[in-house]
Amino acid sequence: MTQDILSVSEFTGLIRKTLEVNFPDVNIIGEISNFKAHVSGHWYFTLKDSDAQVNCTMWRGKNNYVFFTPQDGMKIIISGKLTVYP
């Protein structure tokens, strides 16, 4: 059996489409770690629990809706859209 060979762009495109179709909106509870407020205004952090972690990005324009300063160790619920950026 011959298996298709995908480019990195094709592969990440398929992952992105699969995630966005199957998880249009998500709510996840976890603990913030490695929080970084970048000079661009974007926020980067890891959301984790005892068994797994997810890397997260909050874009500059969305930060205006957060009325607290995120800190490592905070337990939060996030709501958003799941995607992959190549």
Side-chain angles (χ1 to χ4, degrees):
M1 178 190 291
T2 304
Q3 193 172 12
D4 290 337
I5 299 174
L6 302 172
S7 69
V8 173
S9 298
E10 291 168 329
F11 181 62
T12 55
L14 289 171
I15 293 170
R16 181 178 185 169
K17 182 178 178 182
T18 301
L19 290 175
E20 289 177 352
V21 167
N22 290 296
F23 300 96
D25 293 297
V26 295
N27 299 297
I28 305 170
I29 189 168
E31 179 183 318
I32 296 173
S33 68
N34 301 315
F35 178 79
K36 302 228 183 322
H38 195 270
V39 294
S40 65
H42 305 319
W43 290 350
Y44 300 95
F45 58 97
T46 300
L47 192 66
K48 66 179 186 173
D49 62 22
S50 60
D51 298 316
Q53 62 184 26
V54 177
N55 293 330
C56 301
T57 302
M58 181 177 271
W59 304 119
R60 178 182 58 226
K62 300 292 183 183
N63 298 349
N64 297 329
Y65 300 103
V66 178
F67 300 106
F68 64 92
T69 302
Q71 301 288 322
D72 287 353
M74 282 184 168
K75 190 170 186 179
I76 62 168
I77 298 172
I78 61 169
S79 300
K81 300 192 178 297
L82 186 60
T83 193
V84 171
Y85 295 94

